[in-house]
């Protein structure tokens, strides 16, 4: 070591890389020991009248350290069902047919979500482990499967429609976005999106910004299922009681206003959100000072009384279409 230091052949980065590779070997050795002990215990404590031991099978996982982990576990046959099982896999919650360890899959999904691309996510994992861990295609597959799993969970929640969040006001922000599709019969579709939340909280470190409290999102470009699925999504998130107030914010599209029908006899407030209101008013009032005065009245009075009065007062400044 003294010779290496004298020659300046080692840096902190190279030392870290060596230690990570060393820890990878310690990790795999320790995992084999622990998994063997768990498998032995399952063997001793199994219901012998139910499971017959057959033999051992190896299984290999790619790990977050960038090195494979291969371990042996017992193979059983159910005496009554005739099905073959690995009790260790069931006890550890391991999915069949995958080579990626659970921690590696989780890291890949997080990297894919936070990174600008799948290639960048694969590169970040490589830098962390000191060597190639996953290809960008493997990262993409992890993200895709995670997305499908989330969709399945949300679909199940919508089917049950038993939300546990209680809030005096359930806010619904609803809008549609036109999207172009490739290799599809319909080149242009409207993606209808809904964000349900409990209100706004100040964003730490940003006095002029806010973030949603308890938010959830549902979107679909299938108009036929929107009404039913979107309403179920809201009810799977909120516990709507008799005194719950619903506030629906969006533009004047008929399908958005249908959201007021989801809450039965509850009080429902349906209003044009400020973004669409400003856009529409800008088409009427070309003078920026006039536009600012009208919007100021709308912001100052949530009942809309001052806003209506301002429209009447400023009508003389409107364009031809606004005065019609």
């Amino acid at each position: 070591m003294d010779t290496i230091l004298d020659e300046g052949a080692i840096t902190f980065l190279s030392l870290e890389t060596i230690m990570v590779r060393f820890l990878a070997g310690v990790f795999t050795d320790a995992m084999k020991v622990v998994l063997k002990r768990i498998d032995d215990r399952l063997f001793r404590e199994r219901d012998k009248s139910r499971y017959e031991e057959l033999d051992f099978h190896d299984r290999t996982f790619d790990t977050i350290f960038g090195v494979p982990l291969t371990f042996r576990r017992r193979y059983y046959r159910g005496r009554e069902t005739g099905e073959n099982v690995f009790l260790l896999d069931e006890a550890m919650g391991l999915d069949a047919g995958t080579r990626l360890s659970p921690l590696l899959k989780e890291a890949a999904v997080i990297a894919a979500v936070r990174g600008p691309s799948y290639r960048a996510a694969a590169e970040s994992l490589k830098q962390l482990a000191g060597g190639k861990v996953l290809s960008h295609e493997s990262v993409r597959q992890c993200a895709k499967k995670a997305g499908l799993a989330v969709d399945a969970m949300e679909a199940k929640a919508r089917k049950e429609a038993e939300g546990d969040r209680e809030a005096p006001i359930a806010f619904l922000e609803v809008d549609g976005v036109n999207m172009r599709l490739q290799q599809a019969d319909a080149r242009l579709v409207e993606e209808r999106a809904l964000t349900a939340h409990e209100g706004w909280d100040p964003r730490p470190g940003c006095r002029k910004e806010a973030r949603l409290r308890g938010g959830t999102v549902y979107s679909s470009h299938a108009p036929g299922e929107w009404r039913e699925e979107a309403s179920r999504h809201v009810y799977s998130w909120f516990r709507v009681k008799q005194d719950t107030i619903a506030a629906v914010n969006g533009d004047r599209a008929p399908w958005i206003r249908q959201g007021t029908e989801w809450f039965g006899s509850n009080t429902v407030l349906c209003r044009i959100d400020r973004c669409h209101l400003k856009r529409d008013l800008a088409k009427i009032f070309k003078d920026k000072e006039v536009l600012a005065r009208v919007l100021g009245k709308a912001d100052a009075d949530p009942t809309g009384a001052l806003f209506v009065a301002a429209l009447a007062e400023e009508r003389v400044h409107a364009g031809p279409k606004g005065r019609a």
Side-chain angles (χ1 to χ4, degrees):
M1 179 62 70
D2 291 339
T3 302
I4 295 176
L5 291 174
D6 292 339
E7 296 177 354
I10 189 168
T11 64
F12 198 92
L13 175 59
S14 60
L15 180 59
E16 277 188 301
T17 303
I18 293 172
M19 293 304 297
V20 167
R21 307 309 292 179
F22 171 76
L23 290 174
V26 174
F27 165 79
T28 54
D29 290 341
M31 284 291 289
K32 289 177 183 178
V33 172
V34 173
L35 290 172
K36 182 180 184 304
R37 290 183 178 179
I38 296 175
D39 191 54
D40 290 342
R41 180 171 179 177
L42 292 172
F43 170 70
R44 293 192 304 269
E45 297 180 358
R46 78 188 192 286
D47 186 347
K48 296 181 180 179
S49 64
R50 185 178 177 186
Y51 295 108
E52 173 191 5
E53 181 193 10
L54 297 179
D55 54 13
F56 288 86
H57 281 215
D58 290 344
R59 184 164 189 182
T60 299
F61 278 115
D62 293 328
T63 69
I64 198 169
F65 284 100
V67 296
L69 165 65
T70 300
F71 58 95
R72 305 194 74 194
R73 76 272 201 240
R74 290 178 174 86
Y75 194 42
Y76 301 88
R77 176 182 291 120
R79 297 183 186 274
E80 296 180 358
T81 63
E83 295 181 353
N84 297 330
V85 295
F86 294 99
L87 295 184
L88 180 64
D89 291 18
E90 291 186 353
M92 294 288 98
L94 299 177
D95 295 333
T98 180
R99 186 183 167 92
L100 305 183
S101 73
L103 182 59
L104 178 56
K105 285 195 290 187
E106 182 175 316
V109 172
I110 293 175
V113 171
R114 294 180 177 177
S117 67
Y118 298 128
R119 291 185 183 277
E123 184 62 26
S124 66
L125 293 174
K126 177 182 178 180
Q127 293 177 355
L128 177 64
K132 184 176 180 179
V133 179
L134 287 177
S135 67
H136 69 277
E137 176 59 23
S138 296
V139 173
R140 189 185 75 85
Q141 290 297 331
C142 286
K144 179 180 178 180
K145 291 178 181 178
L148 293 174
V150 171
D151 289 344
M153 291 174 60
E154 291 185 347
K156 183 176 183 294
R158 288 197 298 272
K159 185 176 181 180
E160 296 172 353
E162 296 178 357
D164 58 0
R165 291 178 174 270
E166 295 186 7
I169 302 178
F171 292 94
L172 275 63
E173 316 289 343
V174 192
D175 200 1
V177 180
N178 289 327
M179 303 176 61
R180 293 190 179 277
L181 301 180
Q182 296 181 349
Q183 298 179 351
D185 294 336
R187 290 294 183 180
L188 189 66
V189 298
E190 182 182 37
E191 183 74 12
R192 297 179 175 182
L194 173 149
T195 300
H197 61 97
E198 302 170 20
W200 298 264
D201 289 323
R203 185 182 296 277
C206 302
R207 292 186 302 173
K208 295 184 179 180
E209 295 185 7
R211 61 183 180 183
L212 300 184
R213 185 190 321 126
T216 180
V217 177
Y218 172 77
S219 66
S220 173
H221 57 262
E225 69 179 28
W226 166 260
R227 180 188 177 98
E228 179 69 18
E229 292 299 315
S231 62
R232 282 185 172 274
H233 187 86
V234 172
Y235 275 82
S236 70
W237 190 254
F238 285 112
R239 180 175 295 168
V240 179
K241 301 187 296 184
Q242 290 183 348
D243 58 348
T244 300
I245 298 174
V248 182
N249 299 320
D251 59 19
R252 294 189 296 271
W255 66 269
I256 292 180
R257 292 183 175 273
Q258 287 179 353
T260 60
E261 304 172 4
W262 300 347
F263 298 93
S265 60
N266 288 63
T267 299
V268 181
L269 307 176
C270 187
R271 57 172 293 178
I272 302 175
D273 62 62
R274 197 178 190 281
C275 176
H276 289 97
L277 179 63
K278 182 178 180 180
R279 182 196 65 184
D280 292 344
L281 289 175
K283 297 177 181 178
I284 300 173
F285 300 104
K286 303 301 182 180
D287 189 311
K288 293 184 178 180
E289 293 184 0
V290 175
L291 176 62
R293 288 199 297 267
V294 175
L295 283 174
K297 297 297 184 180
D299 294 336
D301 182 12
T303 66
L306 292 180
F307 171 65
V308 173
L311 285 178
E313 182 180 346
E314 304 290 354
R315 186 171 181 271
V316 295
H317 302 291
K321 292 183 179 180
R323 292 195 296 268

